[in-house]
Amino acid sequence: MIRVFLFTLVALTAFNSLLLAQSKSENHAIILQYHRFDESRYPSTNISMELFAKQMVYLYENDYNVFPLSKVVNALINKKQLPPKTVVITIDDAYKTVYTKAYPLLKKYNFSFTTFVNSLPVIHKSKRYMRWDEMREMGKNGAEFANHTYSHQFLVRMDADKPQQYEKDVTKEILKCENKLEKELGKYLCTNPKMLAYPFGEFDVRLMKIMKKLGYVGIAQNSGPVSSRSNLLALNRFPMSGNFGKMRSFILKLHTLPLAVISTSTEDTIVTEENNPPLFRIKLDKKYRDLQCFTSNGKKIAMKWLSPVEVEMQSEVKLKYPRDHYTCTSMASKGRWYWYSHMWVVLQDK
C-alpha cells in the first residue's frame, strides 16, 4: 500500500512538473497584423479574402484562443498565465475593407480583434476608410480600437533638424487621435492599457520615452511571439500581408516560441551612415542549438559567440533604406521554432 502511494506520489509530481514545464513554455501569444482585404492594388499591405478565410478556418477548427490585444497585454503586464494557442488579430489603418470584407467573417467565428485607427482620413470621410458608426457596430461584435496617430506620419523622422520641437509634435499626433477616438468610440477604445501601433512600424528610443511618459503600450511590426519578457514599448507582431500570410508560413508562425533574450546591447533602432551595418549583441537565458540570424531579405548575418549564451552579430552588407531587421531563430521540439526580431530604422539611403 505504501509502495502504491509512493509510486502515485512520484507519478503525480512528475506529471505536475511536466504540466508546469508545458505551461511555462506556452506562456506567450502570437499577434497577427493585417491592413487591407481583397485590395490587390496594394500588394504589400493586402491579403486576399480567400487566404484570410483559410486562416480563420484554421484558427477555428484547431481551437485557438482568439483574444483581444488588451487582454493579452494585461496578462503580460500582470505576469498572468496565458492559455496555450493564444492568438491576437490586429488590423492597422481602419480601411473600408475591414468593415466590408473582414468583419463579417470575424463576426461569423465570434473572433475578437483590435483595429488601430489613424483618425485624420476618417474625419475627412475618405472613401477608402471606415465611418465611425461602422466602427461602433463592430465594437458591439468583438472589436476594440486603439491609437495609430492622427495623420500616420513617420514619427521617428519628424523634426529631424528640430529636436526641441520633436516631443511636442509627436505628443500632439498621439493625443489628437486619442481624444477623437475617445469621443467617437467611447467604451470600445482601449484605455486599460492605452495602446498605440507605430506607423510603418518605426520607433526609436526617443519615441519610446514619449510613449512611456504618456502611459502607452507600443505595438511594433517586427516579427516574433510576445511573452512577459517582451518590451511593452515594442511588442512584436507577425505581418500577414503579401507573401507573409501564405498558409505554410501562417501555420509555422502560429507555432513559434519566444527566444528568451535577457538583454541586448541597445534598445535603439536607428541606423545612420556611421553605424551601417549595425553591430548588435544579445544575451540569452540558455544556450540554443542551431541559432541563426538573418536580415529581412533572408541573408545570413555573421555571428560571433562571446560565451555559450551571448552572441554578437553584424550584417556583412549595409542595411537598405527605410527599414530592416535582424531576426534570429532556433529549432525547438516538434518542428517548432524559437523566434526573435530587432527592428532597424535606416535614416539614410546611400
Side-chain angles (χ1 to χ4, degrees):
M1 195 70 181
I2 294 175
R3 286 182 179 180
V4 172
F5 172 76
L6 289 174
F7 175 80
T8 303
L9 181 61
V10 169
L12 283 173
T13 302
F15 180 67
N16 287 334
S17 298
L18 177 61
L19 282 179
L20 182 62
Q22 290 176 337
S23 177
K24 186 176 181 180
S25 70
E26 292 289 353
N27 189 25
H28 72 284
I30 304 299
I31 306 176
L32 306 174
Q33 180 200 21
Y34 300 90
H35 289 84
R36 305 172 187 267
F37 303 85
D38 262 354
E39 295 189 69
S40 57
R41 291 177 297 169
Y42 309 98
S44 65
T45 54
N46 179 60
I47 186 171
S48 71
M49 279 305 297
E50 179 183 4
L51 179 55
F52 184 63
K54 288 179 180 178
Q55 293 178 354
M56 297 304 102
V57 168
Y58 185 90
L59 295 179
Y60 181 79
E61 291 184 347
N62 289 277
D63 299 319
Y64 276 82
N65 299 289
V66 182
F67 288 172
L69 183 56
S70 59
K71 182 173 181 176
V72 168
V73 170
N74 272 305
L76 300 182
I77 292 171
N78 297 306
K79 309 292 185 184
K80 291 185 177 180
Q81 189 69 41
L82 290 164
K85 301 167 76 172
T86 296
V87 172
V88 176
I89 297 168
T90 67
I91 309 172
D92 288 9
D93 299 333
Y95 290 116
K96 189 74 171 182
T97 53
V98 178
Y99 179 75
T100 59
K101 299 284 186 174
Y103 167 58
L105 188 64
L106 294 166
K107 183 180 178 182
K108 173 184 175 181
Y109 291 114
N110 197 30
F111 284 167
S112 300
F113 59 103
T114 305
T115 300
F116 291 96
V117 182
N118 46 296
S119 55
L120 180 60
V122 183
I123 293 169
H124 287 176
K125 298 183 178 180
S126 168
K127 293 180 180 179
R128 295 186 297 120
Y129 287 78
M130 290 187 285
R131 299 290 181 263
W132 297 117
D133 58 347
E134 293 169 343
M135 294 185 218
R136 287 189 285 267
E137 178 191 334
M138 294 196 306
K140 295 175 182 178
N141 293 282
E144 64 178 11
F145 299 88
N147 199 319
H148 201 32
T149 74
Y150 177 68
S151 59
H152 202 275
Q153 296 189 48
F154 292 89
L155 297 183
V156 170
R157 305 171 198 269
M158 284 175 58
D159 300 320
D161 57 344
K162 301 176 183 178
Q164 294 181 347
Q165 188 70 19
Y166 179 74
E167 182 173 353
K168 180 179 178 181
D169 288 346
V170 168
T171 300
K172 183 178 179 180
E173 271 286 316
I174 295 171
L175 296 186
K176 195 171 181 180
C177 179
E178 190 76 17
N179 292 337
K180 185 61 175 177
L181 296 183
E182 185 176 356
K183 179 181 177 180
E184 296 289 350
L185 301 177
K187 64 182 179 180
Y188 306 123
L189 176 64
C190 297
T191 57
N192 182 30
K194 293 186 292 185
M195 299 186 296
L196 182 144
Y198 298 116
F200 309 100
E202 293 189 358
F203 62 94
D204 65 356
V205 166
R206 290 185 310 161
L207 182 52
M208 286 191 286
K209 286 181 179 178
I210 295 171
M211 290 278 287
K212 186 174 182 180
K213 183 177 179 180
L214 295 175
Y216 280 85
V217 170
I219 314 300
Q221 50 183 273
N222 41 308
S223 59
V226 298
S227 73
S228 54
R229 291 181 186 265
S230 296
N231 181 358
L232 290 169
L233 294 169
L235 291 179
N236 292 350
R237 295 186 287 176
F238 280 109
M240 288 289 114
S241 302
N243 292 325
F244 295 112
K246 292 181 178 179
M247 283 305 294
R248 184 176 179 181
S249 176
F250 173 76
I251 294 169
L252 182 148
K253 290 167 183 174
L254 286 179
H255 289 81
T256 55
L257 299 166
L259 186 73
V261 176
I262 295 175
S263 63
T264 64
S265 55
T266 180
E267 289 188 348
D268 210 356
T269 62
I270 298 300
V271 177
T272 65
E273 181 64 18
E274 289 71 29
N275 73 327
N276 194 0
L279 184 69
F280 189 58
R281 186 170 61 254
I282 59 174
K283 186 175 183 180
L284 305 164
D285 70 337
K286 64 179 181 180
K287 185 175 181 179
Y288 289 84
R289 65 187 181 92
D290 303 324
L291 183 73
Q292 296 185 78
C293 300
F294 306 86
T295 58
S296 60
N297 64 3
K299 187 174 180 60
K300 277 190 178 182
I301 299 172
M303 299 167 58
K304 178 183 177 182
W305 286 96
L306 306 177
S307 77
V309 294
E310 193 170 14
V311 62
E312 190 174 73
M313 65 193 75
Q314 187 173 31
S315 172
E316 295 180 350
V317 297
K318 288 186 176 183
L319 304 185
K320 293 183 178 181
Y321 177 91
R323 290 171 295 280
D324 209 324
H325 305 89
Y326 282 0
T327 297
C328 299
T329 61
S330 177
M331 187 175 291
S333 61
K334 297 181 180 178
R336 305 181 77 174
W337 292 86
Y338 296 106
W339 197 295
Y340 171 82
S341 182
H342 183 86
M343 158 72 75
W344 297 113
V345 178
V346 184
L347 294 186
Q348 298 181 27
D349 184 14
K350 296 289 186 180

